């Protein structure tokens, strides 16, 4: 046997994963203490039989193929088995004592155990009967009763563990019995042990997942009891090796006699174990752990005693499960109280974020976390110790790409998300629930250094060796104490905490959906009202034009016809009327323009921004000339937008910059644009009078003004129109300014799907108009 490395595997085309997780269930070999028959259930004819058939029947396997079970046992026994098999409940048949004639008057007594394989064959396994009678039901009952009486006398869960191994060892006589519990990663630890003094103790030690790999754990789920009477006994092949009906190796998942995998035999030998018995312990249809029994010498356990141990394990373990549930009960009640308070707060507040963070208790109390963060609508709200906002954004992006399902939790986040090592002191543990594609609730736990005691070095749990020219995994030789300091790990999330978070998620989703439905109804009503108001504004402003024009015309006619008869006051009054009519016309035009922004609807098309900007500057030519304004702009892109409204947007913003210039100074206005992620950012910067930052939102409200009309004429509609145009393009607009220091207006336009993403190559331009 020689050690080999992975380069040999690569050169040989051997898959290491297949070596770690072999197909144990199709091993076509059995242990030699029994005989196995594969039967066609229709007539109970023999399709395959183990090569040691002469031991039970005195005939070679070749001579037995094609015979029926009736040819091997007397007619009475055969009819009894037939009736049991016809009932379709094999538990009523197993085990059956059968007498098999060998030679002359020589008989052998066997325990006959039937099962149906996953591939549809009837399997009969014969083991030499060590007792002539089956254990009666009362025997099982008294066995369990005595154990439960001991359990009732102790309140401690650890004492429960110890009682179960003591009772199993008392019943079976094994040298060492251990209770082995699996964790979430498939690793396991010995939580209880009872043994003879001379055997090595494994109590408290952890064992790596590779000791009981995934295929073996799957087998334990299906076959609750496993016995190896003699580790050194070798194996016996089936004849023929391939089933003649299916042309595949028969599935021996449920077989008692199935030969162990060679790696497991070597594992037991390295432990100095000559015989073993393993009993599966199930909880919520999952493999919770095993009762592992070891003996220093070969040891056969009768079928009845094995079933008694299985029965005892199930009864006692059900009590353990109850005690675990009781231990969790008070904590569950505490979490239920916190959850109820959170839901009440969410229902009363305007949004679920405030409900989870602004009251006591808050979401930290739900899972005993040191930090929590909520992402809603792109905004973060944090409680306690959390990563910074930039790290949270990257973390949520990773969750969205890498994680599916209603919940994700880990107590070692840096091992699955390497960037988390930067903030391991606050978030080595993560529990996350998605509320929507863009909304998450996250809980964090900090790193806790732990010392784990292993049975041997888990980093060298096996060696890769060449055995008879074949690559094989061989277990480690030593199981001596090996200590490991575990880093980048937090305290684990308990099952009750995970369940509480799932229930919270469902409640939040229901509340958010209900609020969304209410908002949708309000939105429909609002949209209907807005449509009616817009239509009214359009019609009203349009219909007001004619009488207003008549007023203007007649006032001007009055001034022309009676000019000589009017005194100075009369002429001044007529001037006031004309100015009022002009202002009213401007206001009506602006209201009409405002109502058209939505009523018309956007005409989406590829639009050269430079063209829209040139049109706006052309419309402002008179005001630019009058004010000597200097207007420059960077190269403009081509975007998906409504060209007419884009022109109106530039015209209003640049017109404002000219209007609110400093007295006696030449206006300098610059239009800039740059690409940012999924949108274009435009800016219009001026050197005008600026504004107080406290009014930066108010100026975009319809009819809101910061100056009198005597100071600066206008209707107060221009910036409201700009805001509406930008929002109709799914962008946003804002201003940054200080009083007396000019202003910069910003607005964004999303990058459209049809956007060609190119920028005009025209050079930077200046618009300097001749004076007068």
């Amino acid at each position: 046997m020689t050690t080999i490395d992975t380069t040999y595997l690569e050169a040989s085309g051997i898959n290491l994963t297949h070596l770690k997780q072999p197909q144990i269930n199709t091993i076509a070999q059995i242990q030699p203490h029994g005989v196995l028959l594969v039967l066609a259930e229709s007539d109970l004819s023999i399709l395959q039989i183990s090569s040691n058939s002469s031991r039970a029947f005195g005939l070679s396997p070749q001579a037995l193929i094609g015979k029926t079970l009736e040819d091997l046992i007397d007619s009475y026994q055969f009819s009894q088995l037939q009736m049991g098999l016809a009932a379709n409940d094999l538990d009523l048949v197993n085990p059956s004592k059968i007498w098999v004639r060998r030679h002359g008057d020589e008989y052998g007594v066997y325990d006959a155990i039937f099962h149906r394989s996953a591939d549809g064959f009837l399997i009969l396994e014969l083991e030499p009967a060590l007792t002539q009678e089956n254990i009666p039901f009362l025997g099982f009952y008294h066995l369990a009763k005595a154990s439960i009486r001991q359990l009732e006398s102790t309140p401690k869960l650890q004492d429960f563990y110890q009682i179960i191994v003591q009772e199993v060892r008392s019943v079976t006589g094994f040298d060492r019995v251990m209770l082995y519990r699996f964790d979430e990663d498939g690793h396991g630890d010995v939580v209880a042990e009872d043994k003879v003094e001379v055997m090595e103790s494994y109590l408290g030690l952890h064992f790596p997942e590779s000791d009981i790999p995934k295929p073996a754990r799957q087998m334990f789920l299906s076959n609750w009891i496993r016995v190896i009477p003699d580790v050194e006994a070798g194996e016996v092949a089936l004849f023929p090796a391939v089933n003649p009906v299916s042309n595949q190796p028969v599935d021996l998942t449920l077989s008692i006699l199935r030969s162990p995998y060679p790696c497991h035999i070597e594992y037991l030998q390295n432990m100095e174990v000559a015989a073993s018995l393993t009993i599966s312990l199930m909880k919520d249809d999952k493999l919770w752990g095993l009762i592992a029994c070891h003996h220093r010498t070969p040891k056969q356990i009768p079928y009845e005693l094995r079933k008694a141990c299985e029965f005892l394990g199930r009864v006692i373990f059900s009590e353990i499960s109850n005690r675990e549930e009781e231990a969790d009960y008070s904590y569950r009640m505490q979490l239920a109280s916190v959850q109820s308070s959170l839901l009440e707060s969410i229902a009363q507040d305007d949004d679920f974020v405030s409900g989870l963070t602004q009251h006591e208790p808050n979401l930290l109390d739900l899972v005993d976390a040191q930090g929590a963060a909520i992402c809603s609508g792109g905004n973060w709200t944090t409680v306690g110790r959390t990563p910074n906002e930039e790290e949270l954004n990257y973390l949520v992006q990773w969750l969205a790409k890498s994680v599916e399902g209603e919940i994700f939790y880990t107590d070692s986040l840096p091992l699955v998300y390497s960037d988390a090592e930067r903030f391991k002191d606050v978030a080595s543990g993560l529990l996350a629930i998605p509320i929507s594609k863009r909304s998450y609730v996250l809980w964090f736990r900090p790193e806790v250094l732990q010392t784990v005691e292993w049975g041997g070095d888990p980093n060298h749990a096996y060696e890769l060796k060449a055995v008879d020219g074949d690559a094989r995994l061989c277990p480690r030789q030593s199981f001596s104490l090996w200590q490991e300091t575990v880093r980048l790990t937090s305290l684990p999330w308990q099952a009750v905490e995970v369940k509480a978070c799932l229930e919270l998620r469902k409640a939040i989703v229901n509340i958010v959906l209900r609020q969304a439905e209410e908002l949708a109804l309000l939105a429909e009503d609002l949209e209907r009202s807005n449509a009616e108001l817009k239509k009214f504004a359009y019609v009203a402003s349009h219909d007001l034009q004619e009488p207003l024009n008549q007023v203007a015309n007649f006032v001007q006619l009055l001034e022309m016809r009676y000019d000589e008869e009017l005194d100075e006051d009369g002429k001044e009054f007529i001037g006031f009327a004309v100015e009022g009519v002009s202002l009213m016309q401007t206001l009506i035009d602006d209201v009409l323009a405002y109502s058209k922004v939505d009523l018309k609807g956007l005409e989406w098309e590829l639009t050269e921004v430079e063209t829209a900007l040139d049109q706006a500057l052309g419309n402002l030519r008179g005001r630019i000339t009058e004010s000597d304004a200097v207007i420059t702009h960077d190269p403009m892109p081509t975007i998906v937008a409504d060209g007419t409204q884009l022109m109106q947007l530039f015209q209003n913003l640049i017109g404002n910059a000219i209007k609110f210039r400093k007295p006696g100074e030449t206006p300098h206005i610059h239009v800039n644009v740059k690409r940012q992620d999924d949108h274009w950012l435009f800016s219009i910067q001026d050197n005008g009078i600026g504004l107080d930052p406290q009014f930066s939102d108010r100026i975009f409200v319809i009819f809101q003004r910061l100056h009198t009309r005597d100071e600066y004429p206008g209707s107060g509609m221009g910036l409201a129109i700009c805001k509406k145009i930008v929002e109709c393009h799914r962008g946003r607009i804002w201003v940054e300014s200080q009083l007396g220091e000019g202003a910069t207006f910003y607005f964004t336009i999303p990058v459209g799907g049809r956007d060609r993403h190119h920028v005009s190559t025209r050079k930077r331009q200046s618009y300097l108009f001749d004076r007068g």
Side-chain angles (χ1 to χ4, degrees):
M1 182 184 295
T2 57
T3 302
I4 59 179
D5 58 24
T6 53
T7 56
Y8 169 83
L9 291 180
E10 293 173 0
S12 306
I14 299 172
N15 190 320
L16 182 59
T17 302
H18 291 166
L19 293 179
K20 290 181 179 179
Q21 300 186 0
Q23 289 293 104
I24 304 173
N25 61 312
T26 55
I27 293 176
Q29 296 167 330
I30 68 163
Q31 300 177 75
H33 67 279
V35 178
L36 184 143
L37 297 84
V38 180
L39 306 175
E41 191 160 358
S42 58
D43 58 0
L44 299 184
S45 60
I46 301 173
L47 301 174
Q48 292 172 278
I49 191 168
S50 56
S51 298
N52 61 347
S53 59
S54 59
R55 174 178 177 176
F57 305 109
L59 295 172
S60 68
Q62 292 87 346
L64 290 169
I65 296 297
K67 290 184 178 294
T68 67
L69 191 57
E70 188 176 10
D71 297 328
L72 304 178
I73 60 176
D74 64 61
S75 57
Y76 174 76
Q77 292 182 95
F78 182 75
S79 62
Q80 292 294 108
L81 290 177
Q82 268 192 320
M83 285 190 293
L85 294 173
N88 209 31
D89 186 353
L90 297 183
D91 287 336
L92 300 176
V93 181
N94 294 331
S96 296
K97 299 288 185 187
I98 65 170
W99 285 257
V100 177
R101 184 192 296 266
R102 291 177 182 160
H103 302 286
D105 294 333
E106 183 183 350
Y107 283 86
V109 183
Y110 292 90
D111 286 327
I113 301 105
F114 288 91
H115 74 267
R116 292 183 175 90
S117 67
D119 42 7
F121 300 101
L122 186 65
I123 310 293
L124 170 59
E125 298 181 275
L126 301 177
E127 295 182 77
L130 302 180
T131 61
Q132 297 296 315
E133 301 292 337
N134 291 337
I135 296 178
F137 169 78
L138 285 177
F140 286 97
Y141 171 75
H142 289 301
L143 185 67
K145 185 177 180 181
S147 301
I148 292 173
R149 189 180 299 117
Q150 291 190 62
L151 294 177
E152 290 173 344
S153 65
T154 177
K156 296 181 180 178
L157 196 57
Q158 184 59 46
D159 291 342
F160 269 50
Y161 296 158
Q162 194 60 34
I163 287 171
I164 195 171
V165 295
Q166 289 173 350
E167 288 299 300
V168 171
R169 181 164 176 250
S170 172
V171 169
T172 62
F174 273 89
D175 291 332
R176 175 174 56 212
V177 177
M178 300 178 293
L179 184 59
Y180 186 88
R181 179 179 58 190
F182 291 103
D183 64 19
E184 292 290 335
D185 297 325
H187 302 315
D189 61 311
V190 178
V191 297
E193 179 185 65
D194 190 47
K195 67 180 186 67
V196 296
E197 187 174 347
V198 295
M199 290 200 78
E200 185 177 356
S201 174
Y202 297 124
L203 181 62
L205 297 187
H206 284 65
F207 290 82
E209 178 270 345
S210 58
D211 283 8
I212 307 178
K214 188 174 180 180
R217 295 197 299 275
Q218 286 296 119
M219 297 283 281
F220 281 124
L221 279 172
S222 303
N223 197 350
W224 287 32
I225 195 158
R226 179 79 173 122
V227 63
I228 304 175
D230 187 355
V231 167
E232 304 286 351
E235 63 277 332
V236 174
L238 293 185
F239 178 83
V242 174
N243 188 282
V245 175
S246 66
N247 292 318
Q248 298 288 333
V250 70
D251 190 313
L252 296 180
T253 297
L254 300 179
S255 171
I256 296 169
L257 295 175
R258 176 180 49 80
S259 182
Y261 193 64
C263 185
H264 182 61
I265 291 292
E266 193 173 342
Y267 184 91
L268 293 175
Q269 290 171 336
N270 292 347
M271 277 188 162
E272 298 182 354
V273 171
S276 73
L277 171 69
T278 309
I279 303 167
S280 303
L281 297 176
M282 311 293 292
K283 184 178 181 181
D284 299 330
D285 297 324
K286 295 180 180 179
L287 187 63
W288 180 94
L290 302 169
I291 299 173
C293 309
H294 292 164
H295 210 64
R296 291 168 293 168
T297 58
K299 183 179 180 65
Q300 287 202 351
I301 301 294
Y303 178 83
E304 294 92 340
L305 189 54
R306 297 199 301 263
K307 296 304 285 187
C309 290
E310 179 186 348
F311 174 73
L312 183 63
R314 291 195 192 189
V315 170
I316 297 179
F317 186 68
S318 68
E319 289 296 315
I320 290 178
S321 298
N322 291 338
R323 287 297 177 96
E324 286 181 334
E325 292 292 329
E326 290 174 9
D328 288 340
Y329 179 75
S330 59
Y331 189 38
R332 285 204 312 271
M333 291 302 98
Q334 176 188 333
L335 296 188
S337 175
V338 172
Q339 184 180 355
S340 177
S341 299
L342 290 175
L343 295 180
E344 185 176 346
S345 299
I346 293 172
Q348 292 176 353
D349 283 19
D350 292 334
D351 65 283
F352 77 92
V353 177
S354 299
L356 292 175
T357 59
Q358 301 301 316
H359 305 276
E360 290 294 337
N362 61 34
L363 77 168
L364 285 182
D365 301 302
L366 186 64
V367 292
D368 191 25
Q370 278 67 56
I374 303 175
C375 178
S376 179
N379 298 315
W380 285 100
T381 303
T382 60
V383 183
R385 300 179 63 208
T386 70
N388 62 47
E389 189 167 318
E390 182 180 7
E391 296 285 11
L392 289 173
N393 283 328
Y394 286 130
L395 176 58
V396 164
Q397 289 175 17
W398 174 79
L399 285 170
K401 293 178 181 177
S402 308
V403 175
E404 295 180 355
E406 296 181 342
I407 193 165
F408 170 79
Y409 60 95
T410 176
D411 57 5
S412 52
L413 180 61
L415 299 185
V416 293
Y417 174 62
S418 59
D419 289 351
E421 193 167 350
R422 292 196 295 266
F423 46 84
K424 61 181 173 36
D425 55 328
V426 296
S428 284
L430 169 68
L431 193 156
I433 53 173
I435 306 303
S436 66
K437 289 184 177 179
R438 297 186 60 200
S439 297
Y440 281 83
V441 180
L442 312 177
W443 288 270
F444 303 104
R445 282 179 178 169
E447 178 186 40
V448 177
L449 296 181
Q450 304 173 58
T451 299
V452 178
E453 296 183 339
W454 293 91
D457 184 354
N459 301 310
H460 299 90
Y462 56 84
E463 292 181 285
L464 194 58
K465 295 184 178 181
V467 181
D468 298 329
D470 294 326
R472 202 178 84 188
L473 292 181
C474 299
R476 60 194 179 280
Q477 297 286 328
S478 172
F479 297 90
S480 299
L481 173 65
W482 192 91
Q483 290 188 328
E484 176 190 25
T485 299
V486 179
R487 304 179 185 276
L488 305 178
T489 300
S490 72
L491 293 177
W493 305 99
Q494 297 185 39
V496 290
E497 295 170 333
V498 173
K499 185 178 180 181
C501 291
L502 273 173
E503 291 174 352
L504 178 67
R505 179 189 179 276
K506 291 177 182 176
I508 293 175
V509 169
N510 288 336
I511 290 172
V512 170
L513 286 175
R514 185 171 66 249
Q515 291 175 343
E517 289 176 358
E518 293 172 355
L519 287 174
L521 292 174
L522 289 173
E524 288 179 9
D525 293 341
L526 187 60
E527 186 177 352
R528 187 164 49 251
S529 298
N530 283 342
E532 293 171 355
L533 286 173
K534 289 168 188 173
K535 187 174 182 180
F536 171 77
Y538 178 80
V539 172
S541 58
H542 185 272
D543 291 350
L544 284 173
Q545 293 283 3
E546 185 176 350
L548 194 62
N549 288 336
Q550 288 182 355
V551 172
N553 291 336
F554 280 107
V555 169
Q556 290 171 350
L557 183 61
L558 183 65
E559 181 182 25
M560 292 170 56
R561 182 171 295 181
Y562 299 101
D563 181 60
E564 295 180 357
E565 300 178 21
L566 293 173
D567 58 14
E568 289 301 319
D569 287 343
K571 292 178 180 180
E572 185 177 7
F573 294 156
I574 287 177
F576 288 155
V578 172
E579 288 178 8
V581 168
S582 177
L583 177 60
M584 188 65 176
Q585 284 178 324
T586 301
L587 187 60
I588 289 173
D589 288 340
D590 287 344
V591 169
L592 192 59
Y594 185 82
S595 66
K596 282 181 176 179
V597 171
D598 270 349
L599 193 63
K600 173 185 174 183
L602 296 182
E603 294 181 2
W604 296 96
E605 59 185 357
L606 281 175
T607 300
E608 292 188 2
V609 177
E610 195 148 337
T611 300
L613 180 57
D614 287 344
Q615 290 174 350
L617 293 173
N619 294 340
L620 294 169
R621 183 183 182 88
R623 295 167 65 180
I624 293 172
T625 302
E626 178 188 350
S627 62
D628 292 333
V630 178
I631 302 174
T632 60
H633 71 79
D634 287 349
M636 293 288 119
T638 298
I639 66 174
V640 177
D642 184 305
T644 301
Q645 292 196 4
L646 195 60
M647 179 272 294
Q648 182 72 49
L649 178 62
F650 280 122
Q651 183 173 318
N652 286 7
L653 291 174
I654 295 172
N656 258 21
I658 296 172
K659 181 195 298 186
F660 294 103
R661 63 186 180 272
K662 290 178 181 177
E665 287 192 24
T666 300
H668 286 269
I669 303 165
H670 180 65
V671 183
N672 181 42
V673 64
K674 59 183 177 180
R675 173 76 178 270
Q676 287 189 342
D677 297 330
D678 59 351
H679 63 265
W680 294 101
L681 175 64
F682 293 87
S683 64
I684 293 88
Q685 184 179 15
D686 66 53
N687 64 338
I689 63 173
L691 62 106
D692 192 320
Q694 67 175 312
F695 301 122
S696 59
D697 291 329
R698 176 182 166 186
I699 60 173
F700 294 103
V701 179
I702 190 170
F703 298 132
Q704 292 295 313
R705 299 172 52 85
L706 303 183
H707 306 277
T708 66
R709 289 190 174 88
D710 291 336
E711 295 176 294
Y712 296 97
S715 64
M717 292 284 293
L719 289 178
I721 292 173
C722 290
K723 184 173 186 290
K724 198 166 187 182
I725 291 172
V726 171
E727 289 178 348
C728 284
H729 281 79
R730 299 183 182 86
R732 66 188 189 96
I733 186 170
W734 69 97
V735 64
E736 294 178 4
S737 178
Q738 291 292 333
L739 198 59
E741 298 181 9
T744 302
F745 282 82
Y746 296 92
F747 67 88
T748 62
I749 301 291
V751 173
R754 295 173 293 171
D755 194 336
R756 291 185 294 184
H757 299 179
H758 79 270
V759 176
S760 168
T761 56
R762 290 174 61 179
K763 295 180 180 179
R764 177 183 172 119
Q765 298 184 27
S766 296
Y767 288 81
L768 302 173
F769 289 87
D770 294 337
R771 297 176 185 175

